[in-house]
Amino acid sequence: EVQLVESGGFLVQPGGSLRLSCAASGFTFSTYAMSWVRQAPGKGLEWVSGINSGGGITSYADSVKGRFTISRDNAKNMLNLQMNSLKPEDTAVYYCTKSVDSSSYYPTDYRGQGTQVIVSS
């Protein structure tokens, strides 16, 4: 059974930093691209960042480019998202998603339960 379990969400002040993690199990983590997506209150899902299976290729939405860094540890089956210079508009539930192949960020076939990030003073 595929499981994706996010953690690390918290209340943080504008300008602060958070590190989200996603623990993956039930599939061969190292052979699939992974992504982070988010959903702000009252809005639809927004793709945030993706990383290929080997970790050497990453991509970011314009809204987070230069502030967020995605990474993965294939030995530990972990996906991470380092978020710096956080803004109130980053407030959302953040989900990790599993892609259907090694290099494409979508379509995806699994998503975790999410972790809440609130950026507020």
Side-chain angles (χ1 to χ4, degrees):
E1 178 190 3
V2 172
Q3 286 195 321
L4 300 170
V5 181
E6 302 92 338
S7 61
F10 207 68
L11 170 64
V12 63
Q13 291 188 342
S17 297
L18 278 177
R19 183 176 177 84
L20 305 184
S21 294
C22 172
S25 62
F27 65 103
T28 308
F29 180 73
S30 62
T31 62
Y32 292 94
M34 300 289 293
S35 290
W36 287 96
V37 300
R38 67 186 180 184
Q39 186 165 27
K43 296 188 177 181
L45 282 173
E46 175 190 17
W47 178 84
V48 173
S49 180
I51 187 167
N52 74 331
S53 59
I57 299 174
T58 59
S59 186
Y60 300 91
D62 287 344
S63 58
V64 307
K65 199 171 293 183
R67 300 188 298 121
F68 290 11
T69 302
I70 192 171
S71 63
R72 65 190 297 161
D73 185 336
N74 284 344
K76 297 181 179 179
N77 290 358
M78 293 290 293
L79 177 72
N80 303 300
L81 186 68
Q82 178 67 42
M83 305 187 297
N84 298 329
S85 303
L86 282 161
K87 305 175 180 180
E89 51 264 43
D90 294 318
T91 294
V93 178
Y94 285 71
Y95 303 90
C96 71
T97 66
K98 172 188 170 292
S99 294
V100 298
D101 63 27
S102 63
S103 57
S104 304
Y105 304 135
Y106 25 76
T108 62
D109 53 5
Y110 290 94
R111 188 176 78 192
Q113 85 291 343
T115 187
Q116 175 75 61
V117 172
I118 300 174
V119 184
S120 175
S121 54

